[in-house]
Amino acid sequence: MSDRLLSLVVDSRSPADRAPTGTAFRELDRVRTLAEVIGEDGERVPVGSTGTIVAVWGAGAAFDVEFTRPVEALAAIAPEDLVLVERAGA
């Protein structure tokens, strides 16, 4: 049996209102990696991979980014390792 606990919180705010003030990126923004990153299950996500921000942590100190290509992965990434591709809702 696993000792891990999974908690799901549903946020009813619009995506534009979810990011804390002062962050460079918001939930659902499309971003590209500027460095190779390692996904939570150990997958290597190459430089230049495009993904979607699914969570903002620590007032923008890190972002959970979901990738589908070239590998399926979820990774926590520092803002300096990301560049904006497309703003959510734009």
Side-chain angles (χ1 to χ4, degrees):
M1 181 167 278
S2 174
D3 291 338
R4 294 176 64 177
L5 173 66
L6 176 64
S7 177
L8 175 64
V9 177
V10 177
D11 190 341
S12 61
R13 295 175 295 169
S14 73
D17 295 331
R18 290 182 192 164
T21 302
T23 61
F25 307 109
R26 302 186 298 221
E27 284 186 15
L28 304 181
D29 282 352
R30 299 281 294 157
V31 292
R32 181 171 298 118
T33 58
L34 297 174
E36 180 181 80
V37 296
I38 305 298
E40 66 178 17
D41 292 329
E43 313 90 344
R44 291 187 178 276
V45 180
V47 174
S49 297
T50 300
T52 302
I53 293 179
V54 295
V56 177
W57 298 107
F63 302 88
D64 276 352
V65 181
E66 182 178 53
F67 298 93
T68 56
R69 286 183 274 153
V71 295
E72 289 188 20
L74 178 67
I77 306 174
E80 59 269 13
D81 291 332
L82 296 171
V83 64
L84 183 66
V85 172
E86 181 181 9
R87 181 68 71 194

